Amino acid sequence: MIDSERIRAAFAALALGLCFGLGWTAPALGQQAVAAEAPPAASAAAEDGAAPSPPRAADAVALIPTADFVGRVPFTSPTLSPDGSRFALFIEEDERNKLVIYDAATRRPSRAILLPENLHPSRLRWAGPDKILVSVRAITIVYGVFPVPVSRLFAFDLASGKTFFVGREKQGLTGDDVIYTDPAGEFILLSSSSKLFADAEVHKVFLDGSEFDDTAVRVQKRKGDSDTWFADNEGVVRLGIHFNGKRRRIWYRSSAEDDWDKVASFKYYDDAAEYWNVISISAGSDIGYIMARGDGGRIAVREFDFRTGEPGRTVYEHADWDLESAAVDSVHGLLAVSYTDDRERTEWIHPELAKWQGVLEEALGGAQVTIRQWSAGLERMVVWTGSEADPGALYIFTPAEMKLDLFTNLLPTLDHTQLARSKAVTYAARDGTKLRAYLTLPRGLEAKNLPLIVLPHGGPFHVRDMLAYHPEVQLLANRGYAVLQPNFRGSSGYGEAFEKLGYGEIGRGMQDDLDDARGWAIAQGYADPARVCMVGGSYGGYAAVWSVVRNPDLYVCAASWAGVTDWKDMLDYDKDFLDRRDGKRWTMMVEGEVRKGDLDEVSPREFARRIGRPLLLAHGKKDDNVPFKQHIEMMKAIDGATHVEELVLDKAGHSLVRPEDEQAWYDRLLAFLAKHNFSARNPAPAPETESGAEAELASAP
């Protein structure tokens, strides 16, 4: 059983409350940004300001300190209140998190709430205009052995100043599954279980700070092996999805007065499962929206009859790309869809939002612009603008006043005028498969015979690269390297068939795609064939190590952060964290249908003594994704080879979250590349000079 008392006590011990001072970092965030750059007006011609990316001086290229690339956006989750009068966000300062509420008109903070050290905020939601729901996560130990994440929910009442826990005293792992929020902010519907692995039920929980037992009303009891509940837009629980270990069972009712009917039952990975990716259910109708494959085979928004389990018309399907999300409301229906081609895109269905998108693009000078948030009546919007060569800025837009106010530049210490533009390219793999990649060329250098870094992404499945700001790419380009990021077979976003091309191709077809990207860059004249190095993290780290095992004639060096080095051990480790069906599917994706049992053939550890090229192996001791043991065993297998360098970071996990860890990796990587794949801006270190006596002897007649 998971006990919420410890989490509640963390808040109580700090006497958590609302703070009203203005003498700390939160206001400085907005004030500093406004001082640095005046906000333009939202009109066809921007007045008294400039777009976030000013013109560049073509010949002026300065070396940017690595510290500037590890700067962190100091806040997350900017979210507008329903009426647009306020917005709230989390700010991290000195490894502590604060919830800060801003006045949307002035962009100045009005209140702040300090969160306990051992709890990490993961999401915030408004409940009406005056209450904020904050999801927090922590790690708990199950059965005295297994560390697992646990989530809980807190509410902050801005009108009364109350801060209180929302939910049961004791409950299962998930405590923040809000399936409906009352527009006035008086209550929520919370789906939760009473203990670990118990069935979920739904309670109506009032947001007045009173105890759960006194005010909670159970609106849906446990049913079967229920794990997911859905409510319609008026707060009636209408759909339940249940898993019994082998099959999914779907229960549905048309209204609160109707009995529940089992409308579907299927194996977990049946094709029918995709038709229950619910977007919304509308009151008074059995027809709602789902995400599923459309008529053209891409993930689309479709109507769906929940009573019969039958998909209806395709509401929106892109001809080339899978949709990733959709926004729906009860008044207008489908508002927008999002997908990624070479960039993240939003297609606005709502005509007024589409109009404002065009106005903002014109006002901000052609930069990539995204409306990230909007209030219920479109009174205000949070707008991001930026590019792969600009981390971007956030604005607050008030349409009625045609007013666009800069809130902050996301990385104000980084001189984005020195960053390099990237471009999308297409090349053919050796089997004829068309592949997309992103090429970044260093500014101020001739795009010919450059040292090249092939930089594969992690995953390898359900991940892809795109045109977006990437600090490692920009650091390497700033140091004179061409950088190529291939979306090899198996990468997400290109459809199911492309993903399946990657099944069983780890270290094989996927690696061919990376080698073929190198060959394309050389054939185009961009890269010097004698100066190509592969660098990557996670799966990309594996690919880097494998590159100097499999094809040492193609690469002068390789550098890996947190790379897999033994696939059998990796799959055994993953089984501890995946249930049987997910573990079986992941194993199938790695091994493929016909290559079961031969993972040693693509595991670098088995060939460690064959590595003859310089290799940098870096890993964090706190990595719980690719465990540090992978690094330890690889170093043992290498057995002290002098051409292998090691970097171990004691406090780093799988991702380089701490700026000091990221900078340590960047500094070591640049030093390694300077020795083995030098560039004009990252030259090889000068040889050591002779000592005084030896120098005198050498110069004697």
Side-chain angles (χ1 to χ4, degrees):
M1 181 178 293
I2 306 301
D3 194 340
S4 298
E5 193 60 37
R6 180 174 58 84
I7 298 176
R8 291 174 57 121
F11 274 82
L14 287 172
L16 185 64
L18 298 174
C19 308
F20 290 90
L22 294 183
W24 53 292
T25 301
L29 180 70
Q31 291 172 351
Q32 180 184 18
V34 173
E37 181 181 347
S43 60
E47 300 174 2
D48 301 325
S53 297
R56 302 159 186 262
D59 298 325
V61 179
L63 294 185
I64 302 173
T66 54
D68 289 357
F69 288 102
V70 302
R72 287 286 183 270
V73 175
F75 60 87
T76 57
S77 305
T79 307
L80 279 166
S81 62
D83 62 2
S85 64
R86 303 182 178 107
F87 65 97
L89 48 78
F90 299 121
I91 289 179
E92 183 178 353
E93 182 182 81
D94 299 328
E95 299 187 359
R96 295 291 298 276
N97 288 286
K98 299 166 184 173
L99 172 67
V100 185
I101 297 90
Y102 287 81
D103 182 290
T106 66
R107 293 160 291 150
R108 294 184 176 276
S110 57
R111 303 181 182 186
I113 300 156
L114 184 67
L115 303 183
E117 290 183 81
N118 62 333
L119 298 180
H120 304 283
S122 57
R123 182 179 178 183
L124 68 83
R125 287 166 281 200
W126 286 86
D130 295 316
K131 296 185 181 74
I132 299 176
L133 303 174
V134 173
S135 296
V136 298
R137 53 184 171 81
I139 299 296
T140 191
I141 304 299
V142 175
Y143 302 134
V145 177
F146 300 106
V148 295
V150 57
S151 65
R152 293 295 182 261
L153 188 67
F154 290 85
F156 304 104
D157 188 329
L158 303 181
S160 67
K162 288 183 178 180
T163 299
F164 49 89
F165 174 80
V166 179
R168 305 169 186 260
E169 288 285 340
K170 299 181 186 296
Q171 56 186 319
L173 297 176
T174 302
D176 66 335
D177 186 9
V178 178
I179 66 172
Y180 176 78
T181 303
D182 170 45
E186 293 185 2
F187 68 90
I188 59 171
L189 296 186
L190 182 66
S191 175
S192 65
S193 57
S194 58
K195 57 185 178 180
L196 188 65
F197 305 130
D199 304 336
E201 53 191 8
V202 180
H203 287 82
K204 182 177 183 179
V205 183
F206 292 96
L207 300 177
D208 58 4
S210 54
E211 290 296 324
F212 181 89
D213 289 341
D214 295 335
T215 61
V217 176
R218 188 173 68 180
V219 297
Q220 178 56 53
K221 64 182 181 180
R222 290 178 280 180
K223 189 174 187 62
D225 296 303
S226 55
D227 48 17
T228 306
W229 293 102
F230 294 89
D232 65 22
N233 57 299
E234 292 185 356
V236 177
V237 182
R238 299 268 302 280
L239 180 69
I241 300 180
H242 318 291
F243 179 64
N244 69 356
K246 295 181 180 180
R247 302 183 68 83
R248 287 284 181 189
R249 290 189 172 91
I250 313 296
W251 296 84
Y252 177 75
R253 62 181 181 177
S254 295
S255 70
E257 291 72 34
D258 292 328
D259 294 330
W260 288 97
D261 292 324
K262 186 173 73 173
V263 294
S265 178
F266 45 81
K267 291 182 179 179
Y268 186 75
Y269 284 116
D270 280 359
D271 291 341
E274 74 170 14
Y275 291 121
W276 299 95
N277 294 321
V278 180
I279 300 175
S280 67
I281 304 173
S282 297
S285 174
D286 292 322
I287 306 299
Y289 290 118
I290 61 167
M291 296 278 283
R293 298 205 176 274
D295 302 325
R298 299 289 183 183
I299 298 297
V301 175
R302 301 192 68 168
E303 288 184 345
F304 191 73
D305 189 328
F306 291 102
R307 168 58 61 189
T308 65
E310 293 295 325
R313 70 181 182 94
T314 298
V315 179
Y316 186 97
E317 180 179 13
H318 196 282
D320 299 312
W321 308 100
D322 288 340
L323 298 186
E324 295 164 351
S325 64
V328 175
D329 73 15
S330 59
V331 177
H332 302 95
L334 184 64
L335 300 177
V337 296
S338 66
Y339 60 91
T340 300
D341 46 23
D342 291 318
R343 303 180 188 275
E344 291 182 332
R345 306 285 190 184
T346 299
E347 186 79 19
W348 298 103
I349 312 302
H350 189 285
E352 191 171 356
L353 284 166
K355 178 187 75 173
W356 293 125
Q357 175 74 30
V359 169
L360 290 163
E361 288 176 354
E362 188 174 1
L364 291 168
Q368 186 177 353
V369 176
T370 303
I371 300 173
R372 292 279 178 88
Q373 287 269 327
W374 56 89
S375 59
L378 305 186
E379 297 90 351
R380 281 200 174 87
M381 303 174 190
V382 175
V383 178
W384 171 86
T385 182
S387 71
E388 69 277 8
D390 181 358
L394 277 185
Y395 290 81
I396 304 298
F397 177 46
T398 308
E401 302 175 22
M402 290 295 284
K403 186 179 180 184
L404 184 64
D405 295 316
L406 177 66
F407 174 60
T408 188
N409 289 301
L410 297 187
L411 290 177
T413 62
L414 178 64
D415 182 3
H416 66 268
T417 66
Q418 298 296 316
L419 301 184
R421 292 286 181 184
S422 306
K423 65 179 180 178
V425 300
T426 300
Y427 69 98
R430 63 193 64 185
D431 65 356
T433 301
K434 296 295 184 182
L435 300 170
R436 199 71 161 165
Y438 302 100
L439 177 67
T440 306
L441 298 171
R443 295 182 61 220
L445 297 176
E446 185 181 5
K448 183 178 180 181
N449 290 328
L450 294 164
L452 174 68
I453 304 297
V454 179
L455 189 70
H457 61 68
F461 303 102
H462 310 306
V463 181
R464 60 161 293 171
D465 276 316
M466 68 186 78
L467 289 175
Y469 173 72
H470 191 308
E472 194 167 30
V473 169
Q474 290 297 336
L475 171 64
L476 291 168
N478 183 254
R479 293 306 192 270
Y481 295 97
V483 184
L484 189 59
Q485 301 166 270
N487 277 332
F488 47 84
R489 66 193 63 214
S491 302
S492 65
Y494 298 93
E496 184 179 24
F498 187 81
E499 178 186 284
K500 288 183 175 179
L501 284 178
Y503 290 4
E505 296 300 328
I506 285 175
R508 299 181 177 96
M510 288 182 177
Q511 201 76 19
D512 289 343
D513 293 346
L514 300 176
D515 294 343
D516 293 342
R518 169 196 178 275
W520 174 88
I522 292 169
Q524 297 297 312
Y526 294 122
D528 178 351
R531 288 189 293 165
V532 183
C533 185
M534 192 177 293
V535 177
S538 194
Y539 178 81
Y542 157 76
V545 180
W546 192 236
S547 71
V548 293
V549 173
R550 188 177 189 247
N551 296 110
D553 54 322
L554 301 183
Y555 301 92
V556 296
C557 62
S560 165
W561 168 259
V564 176
T565 57
D566 188 284
W567 282 103
K568 280 185 178 178
D569 282 0
M570 191 70 238
L571 289 181
D572 286 343
Y573 176 80
D574 288 340
K575 288 176 183 176
D576 291 336
F577 300 92
L578 299 172
D579 60 33
R580 187 169 62 88
R581 65 187 186 280
D582 288 334
K584 184 178 180 180
R585 181 172 174 80
W586 170 234
T587 299
M588 182 276 295
M589 294 170 77
V590 172
E591 292 184 335
E593 297 289 349
V594 298
R595 287 181 170 137
K596 295 180 180 179
D598 61 359
L599 290 177
D600 285 348
E601 295 180 9
V602 292
S603 292
R605 192 191 304 172
E606 297 295 318
F607 305 92
R609 297 194 180 185
R610 187 186 294 181
I611 298 173
R613 292 292 192 182
L615 173 64
L616 171 60
L617 285 175
H619 219 108
K621 285 187 175 181
K622 304 294 186 183
D623 194 338
D624 56 6
N625 192 328
V626 177
F628 185 58
K629 181 183 177 183
Q630 288 264 325
H631 177 84
I632 294 173
E633 296 300 323
M634 184 65 181
M635 293 303 298
K636 287 179 181 178
I638 287 169
D639 194 24
T642 57
H643 56 275
V644 177
E645 297 184 22
E646 181 185 23
L647 173 65
V648 173
L649 299 179
D650 291 341
K651 296 183 179 181
H654 191 63
S655 300
L656 291 162
V657 175
R658 298 179 351 125
E660 54 266 45
D661 291 333
E662 188 176 6
Q663 183 165 352
W665 161 246
Y666 289 163
D667 287 340
R668 186 64 175 273
L669 176 62
L670 289 178
F672 174 81
L673 292 174
K675 288 189 289 183
H676 305 296
N677 194 26
F678 68 91
S679 80
R681 298 196 187 120
N682 192 39
E688 295 183 6
T689 58
E690 299 169 295
S691 64
E694 292 170 335
E696 290 177 7
L697 182 61
S699 62

